[in-house]
Amino acid sequence: MASGTLTIDLDALASNWRALNRASGAAVQTAATVKAGGYGLGAGLVARTLAEAGARAFFVAIAEEGAAVREALGPGPAIYVYGGHMPGDADLLAAADLVPMLNSIEQVTRQFETMPDAPFGLQLDSGMNRLGMEAAEWQAVAPLALPRRPRLIMSHLASSDVPNDPMNREQLAAFSAMVEGCGVPCSLAATGGTLLGAAYHFDMTRPGIGLYGGRPFAEARPVVRLSLPVIQVRDVAEGEIVGYSGTWTAPAPARIATLSGGYADGILRSLSNRTTLWHDDIPCPLVGRVSMDLLTVDVTHLPEVPAALDLIGPHQGIDDLADQAGTIGYEILTALGGRYARQVLGGA
């Protein structure tokens, strides 16, 4: 028996891309970020769905992810690698026709020495202090790189999920100054930047979490549902404990359902005694600790014990779980394990 059923709505995924494509504007290319295995949902499945919706450019974190997306899509769409050109990547970049986003003078040198005629892009640091070349490095590299006609120059916003954060305007100004007159397509916006407006769009947007139903894209359609099967039900007397370390004690006689699913399946331990599962419209509290493979849920108030309960569904999305766990929807999605039976809705 699988730990549960993870239902993936491909029509919702495609709808979210189309909505962000409209927000980007007709003159701007809307790409799709499909790293981390399509945010945990399957990179090939996600990429094919988004390509059918109209996406013609995709972003991954590392070359190996890019190769998997290329295998799923075949020739044609552009696949950019955020991590750039790492040692030993040349053969894979060439074989899969990937575009590394070069992040440093070292990577630029590696690219030009090992793949002098291959496509590449450039990543600049506009203030996040993560990946990319700072202004002084860029000033040194630009005369060497620009004549080779990079496919794209990009940077990344640190606080685009907070529209009023002054860091957004500061990074926009810094990036605009760095790329002024470069004659190369430019990109600054992921999901949050897309929603900040046209000033942040440049030539390409590259949404990620919004495609999968997460913040800050409040109008996104939910893409995933997670149902966990009930293995066993027991009656617990008042004063008895449930789960490891006895973190929950029954205040009255209770009926406890044990469900298949735990932190080995990406259900964060920090959700212990905090979250709720659902039987249709009826909430059922998780009681006791999340263990590796099991959850315990109070179903005393249900007229009958269901075969399964929803952890993610119409009443509780990935961001609701993230709020309860003290994290973000990205972690909820990308933590989803491989033991779920996957059910796909919609799509071609």
Side-chain angles (χ1 to χ4, degrees):
M1 179 184 68
S3 291
T5 300
L6 180 67
T7 301
I8 303 168
D9 187 340
L10 298 183
D11 289 343
L13 178 72
S15 175
N16 291 339
W17 182 86
R18 293 189 192 100
L20 289 166
N21 183 47
R22 290 192 295 272
S24 297
V28 176
Q29 182 180 16
T30 305
T33 296
V34 295
K35 61 182 179 176
Y39 283 53
L41 304 184
L45 180 68
V46 165
R48 285 191 297 269
T49 299
L50 297 176
E52 290 164 2
R56 293 296 176 265
F58 298 84
F59 284 80
V60 297
I62 58 177
E64 288 79 4
E65 290 182 335
V69 173
R70 175 63 70 204
E71 183 177 359
L73 293 179
I79 302 173
Y80 297 88
V81 181
Y82 284 129
H85 185 158
M86 296 295 289
D89 277 354
D91 289 345
L92 188 55
L93 291 169
D97 189 22
L98 307 178
V99 183
M101 300 303 299
L102 308 178
N103 292 287
S104 64
I105 293 175
E106 179 185 21
Q107 287 199 351
V108 169
T109 301
R110 183 179 299 124
Q111 176 77 14
F112 293 173
E113 288 181 350
T114 62
M115 307 177 68
D117 300 319
F120 68 96
L122 298 160
Q123 188 159 185
L124 307 182
D125 176 22
S126 57
M128 192 175 184
N129 288 309
R130 196 176 61 166
L131 285 179
M133 289 175 276
E134 296 181 358
E137 293 177 286
W138 172 231
Q139 189 174 13
V141 166
L144 302 173
L146 291 178
R148 293 174 180 256
R149 303 183 67 180
R151 294 280 186 89
L152 183 72
I153 298 176
M154 65 159 283
S155 189
H156 197 69
L157 294 167
S159 302
S160 63
D161 56 335
V162 184
N164 294 325
D165 193 314
M167 185 70 178
N168 294 321
R169 295 188 297 276
E170 292 169 10
Q171 286 193 259
L172 174 61
F175 184 63
S176 297
M178 293 170 82
V179 300
E180 184 178 6
C182 70
V184 175
C186 295
S187 177
L188 180 62
T191 299
T194 302
L195 300 174
L196 287 176
Y200 292 83
H201 294 170
F202 290 86
D203 302 291
M204 177 191 286
T205 60
R206 43 180 212 282
I209 189 64
L211 302 175
Y212 307 93
R215 295 175 188 153
F217 186 23
E219 290 75 34
R221 288 174 54 183
V223 174
V224 297
R225 183 170 190 156
L226 178 59
S227 300
L228 304 175
V230 174
I231 299 175
Q232 183 180 0
V233 178
R234 69 176 65 246
D235 292 322
V236 173
E238 179 181 349
E240 287 194 294
I241 62 96
V242 172
Y244 283 119
S245 301
T247 61
W248 186 82
T249 302
R255 173 163 285 190
I256 304 300
T258 299
L259 279 61
S260 180
Y263 55 76
D265 305 293
I267 301 170
L268 303 182
R269 192 168 180 266
S270 56
L271 291 168
S272 300
N273 294 298
R274 290 186 180 179
T275 194
T276 300
L277 290 89
W278 293 82
H279 172 52
D280 295 329
D281 297 328
I282 305 174
C284 302
L286 186 151
V287 296
R289 283 192 176 161
V290 174
S291 57
M292 182 180 290
D293 312 296
L294 300 170
L295 306 179
T296 41
V297 180
D298 187 351
V299 295
T300 309
H301 53 300
L302 296 184
E304 59 183 18
V305 178
L309 295 171
D310 286 342
L311 181 61
I312 301 173
H315 297 287
Q316 183 165 260
I318 58 172
D319 291 308
D320 298 312
L321 275 185
D323 290 344
Q324 296 159 19
T327 185
I328 54 177
Y330 299 75
E331 184 177 11
I332 299 296
L333 272 179
T334 59
L336 295 173
R339 297 196 294 184
Y340 299 120
R342 298 199 170 209
Q343 176 179 324
V344 176
L345 302 179

